[in-house]
Amino acid sequence: MKEFFILEGAYLILAFLILLVTLFVTTRPFMSKKAPKKGLISVGLVLAFFIFLHFYLTTNRINSVKKAFLNGEKIICESRANTKAAQSIIIKKDFGWSIKGDYFISPNYIRDFHIARCIIY
């Protein structure tokens, strides 16, 4: 459950704001009395579907990246530390990287990289 909130926290906040806008619009005088209930349910179901779909796809990618890393394949990760050059970094077991939880760590590199921000090279 903690992983869900870490990966989807921003999307949950956006979904809440969208639901607030939906509530505001559906409670206007020109809308029917059933509009708030119908609007919140339909928009809420669509948002929940897309959030859980994103979580499912992200966790599947995390598992495939972990498996590929353990098999010695190269992994490419997004680096936000330096946005002027070298915006990605190649990670491989042979380069001294290891996995700790959901992060790639290396004694030779200052930052850890969350596996959700990585793909197989």
Side-chain angles (χ1 to χ4, degrees):
M1 192 64 161
K2 179 182 174 187
E3 181 182 13
F4 177 77
F5 287 113
I6 290 171
L7 295 175
E8 304 301 322
Y11 297 116
L12 291 171
I13 292 169
L14 286 172
F16 179 72
L17 292 174
I18 291 169
L19 287 173
L20 285 177
V21 169
T22 303
L23 182 63
F24 177 77
V25 170
T26 57
T27 55
R28 299 297 92 208
F30 57 86
M31 300 294 284
S32 73
K33 297 291 181 195
K34 295 181 181 180
K37 183 177 179 182
K38 286 181 180 179
L40 289 175
I41 289 173
S42 59
V43 171
L45 287 174
V46 169
L47 291 171
F49 171 75
F50 283 114
I51 288 171
F52 284 108
L53 178 66
H54 182 264
F55 179 71
Y56 174 76
L57 294 173
T58 302
T59 53
N60 279 346
R61 187 177 68 247
I62 287 172
N63 293 333
S64 66
V65 167
K66 279 183 182 181
K67 186 177 179 182
F69 177 78
L70 295 174
N71 289 334
E73 296 180 44
K74 289 182 182 177
I75 308 298
I76 196 164
C77 289
E78 175 186 23
S79 175
R80 293 186 174 181
N82 185 2
T83 58
K84 303 251 187 265
Q87 292 184 358
S88 59
I89 186 166
I90 296 177
I91 293 175
K92 193 173 179 185
K93 239 182 185 180
D94 300 340
F95 301 158
W97 289 89
S98 61
I99 295 178
K100 182 178 181 183
D102 283 337
Y103 291 90
F104 286 120
I105 59 170
S106 173
N108 304 324
Y109 203 79
I110 297 170
R111 282 191 71 226
D112 300 340
F113 290 94
H114 196 284
I115 295 175
R117 297 231 174 253
C118 303
I119 59 172
I120 301 168
Y121 185 63

